[in-house]
Amino acid sequence: MDPVRNPYAPGAGQRPPELAGRDRQLDAFDIVLERIARARPERSVMLTGLRGVGKTVLLNQLRSAARSRGWGTGKLEARPDQELRRPLSSALHMAVRSIAVAHRNPDQVDDFLGILKAFALRSTADKGMRERWNPGIDVPAVTGRADSGDIEIDLVELLLEAAQLARDAGVGIALFIDELQDLGPADISAICGACHELSQDAAPLIVVGAGLPHLPAVLSASKSYSERLFSYHRIDRLDRESADQALIAPAGREDVKYTEAALDALYEKADGYPYFVQAYGKATWDVATQSPITEEDVDVAAPTAEEELAVGFFGSRYERATPAEREYMRAMADLAGDDGPVSTAAVARELDRKPASLSPARDGLIKKGLIYSAERGTIGFTVPHFGRYLRGVQ
């Protein structure tokens, strides 16, 4: 096969040539957008799942759906070492700029941008740093709104002002936050509080977040009502029909087909995980000599795909861990034959250590996004098949 025509695209957040198996989430989001357009109250949306299942791809697709309706949108990626104010200010600034041209009152837009600037500037306590940093908003900061310094108060005021601006323009605003679980407790609490106020006001502004499987627990720990505050969608591996579609449809556009045995082999190796489907599909295309692609082509390509996954997908994460953290993960891998969550007590027994002595390693792995607390007393890998990879590492 011509590698230039290879249609498959394994990459972080990179949209696959065929977005298969996500129709339910896309349809549900269309209903949310339509209800908000009709001034009906709606909940913000949270996508959860392991790495490699396509959360970021879906987040970007939902953003495209909002933009196609003329909504203002902005996106940010949360980081453990960064407060929410600055990246959210930039995302909201982007959203407002896109709807400002449709607003009938430019002065009202400038007033909001002044509030947004004041909110952004509160991110730095040091006065000298505040004066040197510019959020890129060319209007004077407006005092008295969203600038108290309390992020929970300020975010509610800011987003309600933004929602009013959108309402006056006859559109909505959607803010998309990836890796939401990495926000600090105060920022998580502020997001929950602001979404609560927006929902009660039937405001045309929603937050769409994506994060690891423990994101609902993170939100619930902040606000008990978060279980009812958001519409949760668990993003998981593809079923067989969807995985086949992700392979067949792009190949068909290049006049290439698969044998049924080849599809069987690809599903077994990729296990339905979208990133793996793309990785094995790409490697198989490159070794195949003609159509239809066969099971033998899959077998020949598999070592190449697995080597690339071992280096880029698994190995890069493993290298970030300290020796103590690697020891902890190896114990998890030995216990989790199917890569499912295991109990922290079992890990301690496996290592013949007291649970308290392993807390630094466990907490370090959670902060690095390598494991997550599935539920009280259990932990799991954030990356599918990571345990299998570790069991093969010498």
Side-chain angles (χ1 to χ4, degrees):
M1 295 297 179
D2 182 357
V4 175
R5 294 170 55 204
N6 192 323
Y8 303 108
Q14 190 168 334
R15 191 189 190 281
E18 182 74 15
L19 185 58
R22 304 304 183 217
D23 290 345
R24 184 172 61 84
Q25 292 83 12
L26 293 171
D27 291 345
F29 191 65
D30 281 341
I31 292 172
V32 169
L33 295 178
E34 184 61 29
R35 282 179 55 82
I36 292 174
R38 299 186 184 193
R40 300 295 179 94
E42 258 301 341
R43 293 176 292 174
S44 288
V45 177
M46 293 292 153
L47 312 176
T48 69
L50 297 174
R51 302 199 185 282
V53 297
K55 298 186 302 298
T56 301
V57 169
L58 183 55
L59 198 69
N60 291 337
Q61 192 66 21
L62 298 183
R63 185 183 181 190
S64 294
R67 290 159 87 173
S68 69
R69 289 173 172 258
W71 280 42
T73 70
K75 184 184 173 186
L76 63 126
E77 181 177 319
R79 297 208 309 258
D81 58 345
Q82 186 178 51
E83 292 183 353
L84 178 64
R85 279 185 189 264
R86 285 193 185 180
L88 185 135
S89 300
S90 298
L92 188 53
H93 187 203
M94 183 185 302
V96 168
R97 285 178 62 189
S98 67
I99 66 172
V101 292
H103 203 284
R104 294 169 296 179
N105 188 345
D107 290 339
Q108 187 180 350
V109 175
D110 286 347
D111 287 343
F112 173 77
L113 291 176
I115 294 170
L116 178 59
K117 186 172 185 176
F119 172 86
L121 289 172
R122 288 295 303 189
S123 66
T124 304
D126 177 69
K127 183 176 183 295
M129 182 62 74
R130 282 205 306 270
E131 291 173 348
R132 289 193 296 272
W133 181 69
N134 190 322
I137 300 173
D138 296 327
V139 298
V142 175
T143 59
R145 291 286 289 170
D147 63 349
S148 71
D150 184 320
I151 183 62
E152 191 153 351
I153 294 172
D154 293 348
L155 190 61
V156 168
E157 292 182 350
L158 178 72
L159 295 189
L160 286 175
E161 293 280 358
Q164 186 58 51
L165 195 72
R167 183 182 281 123
D168 292 343
V171 292
I173 288 175
L175 294 174
F176 297 83
I177 307 178
D178 207 356
E179 304 292 348
L180 186 62
Q181 77 284 335
D182 284 341
L183 289 178
D187 290 339
I188 287 285
S189 180
I191 289 285
C192 291
C195 288
H196 195 200
E197 291 290 335
L198 291 165
S199 179
Q200 292 180 84
D201 194 47
L205 192 156
I206 57 170
V207 173
V208 184
L212 293 172
H214 66 295
L215 176 59
V218 170
L219 295 168
S220 181
S222 176
K223 301 286 187 184
S224 59
Y225 54 73
S226 70
E227 297 167 356
R228 293 162 285 136
L229 183 59
F230 302 105
S231 174
Y232 291 98
H233 297 269
R234 182 181 176 186
I235 312 304
D236 209 337
R237 70 186 77 186
L238 301 174
D239 59 27
R240 173 62 190 269
E241 182 180 357
S242 298
D244 285 356
Q245 181 188 352
L247 291 164
I248 293 171
R253 291 191 282 269
E254 300 291 340
D255 295 322
V256 174
K257 297 181 179 180
Y258 287 87
T259 66
E260 193 64 28
L263 293 172
D264 290 341
L266 283 165
Y267 190 76
E268 180 182 355
K269 292 183 181 303
D271 200 19
Y273 287 103
Y275 186 89
F276 296 167
V277 169
Q278 296 298 310
Y280 280 98
K282 185 176 189 300
T284 301
W285 176 285
D286 285 344
V287 304
T289 58
Q290 62 184 1
S291 177
I293 294 173
T294 67
E295 183 180 11
E296 290 72 21
D297 295 325
V298 177
D299 291 338
V300 172
T304 299
E306 288 158 6
E307 182 180 357
E308 291 183 0
L309 288 170
V311 174
F313 193 71
F314 298 119
S316 60
R317 290 175 165 86
Y318 180 71
E319 293 300 324
R320 291 166 51 200
T322 67
E325 291 166 353
R326 292 178 188 178
E327 181 185 39
Y328 193 93
M329 288 192 295
R330 285 177 180 276
M332 287 178 59
D334 290 340
L335 290 166
D338 60 352
D339 280 1
V342 298
S343 75
T344 53
V347 174
R349 288 193 299 270
E350 179 75 11
L351 294 173
D352 195 22
R353 300 268 298 278
K354 293 182 178 179
S357 70
L358 295 173
S359 294
R362 183 185 68 247
D363 293 346
L365 289 168
I366 290 174
K367 288 178 181 177
K368 290 174 180 175
L370 296 174
I371 67 173
Y372 70 99
S373 179
E375 57 186 40
R376 186 172 181 83
T378 67
I379 33 88
F381 292 113
T382 61
V383 176
H385 293 182
F386 199 51
R388 180 189 301 180
Y389 163 76
L390 289 173
R391 289 190 291 273
V393 174
Q394 301 302 318

